[in-house]
Amino acid sequence: MAINGCNRRQYKLAGVDVAFWGAVIFPAAIAVLRGITVGADTKNYYAYYEDIVQLHTWKDLSYYADKYLIETGYMIYNKILGFFFESGQTITICNSILLFIALTVMIKKYSLKPILSLFLYITLGIYQTALNMIPSNIASLIVIGGFCFILERKLWKFLLIIVLAMQMHQSVFIFIALYILHSIKLTRFRAVLLFGAGGIVLMLYDRLLPVISLFVPDVYQRYLMTSQITNGVVFGFHILIFIFILVVTDFRKAGSSFNLYLWAFIMELEFYWLSFRLEIFSRVSFLFSPVLILLVPFVTDNMRFVKNKKLINGIFYTLIGVQYVLRLSINNIGSTMPYMFFWQ
């Protein structure tokens, strides 16, 4: 996928880009056919679905949604499917299909190199983590698919996309900040300054916690009670990508799309900083991670001071592939390994 992604040629059969659709269908099928143990939260989605199928009044549905913090739109979506299929496997299959529809639309719409973006979606660990947190990733991909409305400064259309995505997961409301931040052009100095600010906020977190608590609804206060250090290895790798972007990108020639993607990446890094004190922030940072599969191909296709781009691209994507293998040997990425098919 990496080699083919770096190649500008398309391999078409009857007008269909065979390489691209093969690259989409294979991981989509793996997601559709996975068992209940693949992904730490998969069993919860499975259980929620089977419970919701048995509920018959709006009062019961509302009580269930409040009890388990399930978004109303996601609950209704489960209930509609339940009219036709009773098995909990239904939600795994339908969620996986929705995930890859949203992913394919986003990549086709924005990526300079679609197959390379799919390669990054897998090797950066986004794919396997998404199987663990699939509604939030679907919501994230829907919002990123609406980035055109930020670039075109169409606020109401972007807000409609946010509202639609919030039916899958409410946390995507935080993307609204990008509409404002995008109007500020990033430079190397500003990017470094913002990254460093995240570390300062981390050090001051204990003092800021009482203030943060004032803005968090009571139902979510429990998330502020736990302190847990998340995986620093992944954060370290993302810092290396950040440094690579700063070094090779010509900020003067970079357009508005690059500016928006970089803002989203910086927001991911900021929340990753906070996740060292509160694990829940690692889930928030993950909302922004799909932007990397658009940002990285853009950067590697527009490098400055590089004469042999093919060689540098080959080395860069090989290293990303190697880190993926090493990461699999360190952890199972979102409790997805060992992989089991649903019929096992």
Side-chain angles (χ1 to χ4, degrees):
M1 286 176 68
I3 294 171
N4 196 26
C6 291
N7 192 342
R8 292 186 179 274
R9 288 182 60 192
Q10 288 186 315
Y11 302 94
K12 291 189 175 183
L13 182 63
V16 175
D17 188 346
V18 178
F20 173 75
W21 287 107
V24 169
I25 291 171
F26 179 73
I30 294 295
V32 165
L33 300 175
R34 75 187 191 276
I36 194 172
T37 60
V38 179
D41 287 350
T42 302
K43 59 182 179 295
N44 293 329
Y45 305 139
Y46 193 103
Y48 294 157
Y49 180 83
E50 293 197 330
D51 286 346
I52 291 171
V53 167
Q54 304 303 318
L55 302 176
H56 299 293
T57 68
W58 179 255
K59 184 177 180 180
D60 291 337
L61 287 168
S62 181
Y63 173 78
Y64 192 87
D66 291 341
K67 182 179 179 180
Y68 293 102
L69 303 179
I70 299 174
E71 282 72 7
T72 302
Y74 184 71
M75 181 191 63
I76 294 172
Y77 156 64
N78 276 249
K79 186 60 183 175
I80 292 172
L81 290 174
F83 288 135
F84 305 97
F85 310 101
E86 292 186 359
S87 171
Q89 193 64 42
T90 303
I91 198 63
T92 299
I93 293 170
C94 292
N95 277 351
S96 299
I97 292 171
L98 272 180
L99 175 73
F100 274 86
I101 289 174
L103 177 65
T104 303
V105 170
M106 185 195 79
I107 288 175
K108 274 292 193 181
K109 193 171 184 178
Y110 298 110
S111 179
L112 291 179
K113 297 181 178 180
I115 296 180
L116 205 50
S117 290
L118 287 167
F119 170 79
L120 291 167
Y121 189 70
I122 295 172
T123 53
L124 293 178
I126 303 171
Y127 168 62
Q128 285 169 259
T129 307
L131 300 188
N132 182 38
M133 301 155 45
I134 201 161
S136 62
N137 197 238
I138 294 171
S140 174
L141 293 173
I142 290 173
V143 175
I144 295 172
F147 271 8
C148 58
F149 299 126
I150 296 181
L151 297 171
E152 297 167 4
R153 309 309 290 169
K154 295 179 179 179
L155 176 59
W156 290 110
K157 289 187 177 181
F158 184 64
L159 290 178
L160 285 174
I161 290 290
I162 293 282
V163 171
L164 173 64
M166 285 177 66
Q167 303 313 302
M168 291 298 290
H169 208 277
Q170 291 184 2
S171 56
V172 293
F173 79 89
I174 200 165
F175 276 91
I176 294 173
L178 285 178
Y179 192 90
I180 301 169
L181 294 173
H182 173 61
S183 61
I184 304 171
K185 185 169 178 58
L186 286 169
T187 61
R188 280 188 189 77
F189 177 74
R190 288 176 180 173
V192 172
L193 196 64
L194 288 165
F195 175 74
I200 294 172
V201 171
L202 176 64
M203 291 187 290
L204 298 175
Y205 184 77
D206 289 330
R207 296 184 180 183
L208 294 173
L209 185 57
V211 179
I212 295 172
S213 299
L214 296 175
F215 299 94
V216 177
D218 291 340
V219 70
Y220 295 112
Q221 286 287 333
R222 61 190 177 91
Y223 289 121
L224 300 178
M225 306 302 247
T226 314
S227 184
Q228 180 178 341
I229 295 177
T230 191
N231 192 346
V233 175
V234 179
F235 184 42
F237 179 65
H238 281 203
I239 291 174
L240 291 177
I241 293 178
F242 180 63
I243 294 170
F244 175 79
I245 291 170
L246 294 182
V247 171
V248 305
T249 305
D250 188 344
F251 278 69
R252 292 173 299 177
K253 294 182 179 179
S256 57
S257 295
F258 169 80
N259 193 60
L260 177 57
Y261 300 157
L262 186 57
W263 263 116
F265 183 36
I266 287 174
M267 288 192 71
E268 180 200 6
L269 295 174
E270 302 294 359
F271 283 110
Y272 229 124
W273 271 120
L274 295 175
S275 71
F276 280 89
R277 289 303 312 273
L278 210 63
E279 191 272 339
I280 190 63
F281 282 121
S282 67
R283 288 181 170 249
V284 180
S285 70
F286 178 69
L287 294 173
F288 297 94
S289 61
V291 171
L292 271 175
I293 72 175
L294 304 176
L295 175 61
V296 172
F298 183 92
V299 170
T300 56
D301 202 48
N302 295 279
M303 292 184 287
R304 61 172 186 161
F305 306 138
V306 175
K307 293 182 179 179
N308 194 336
K309 288 186 179 181
K310 287 186 177 180
L311 176 61
I312 299 301
N313 276 331
I315 294 171
F316 180 74
Y317 289 110
T318 298
L319 290 175
I320 287 181
V322 169
Q323 72 79 32
Y324 176 64
V325 175
L326 292 175
R327 185 177 173 188
L328 282 176
S329 67
I330 295 171
N331 62 51
N332 61 8
I333 308 183
S335 299
T336 53
M337 301 296 283
Y339 179 87
M340 301 289 284
F341 290 99
F342 67 76
W343 58 80
Q344 290 177 305

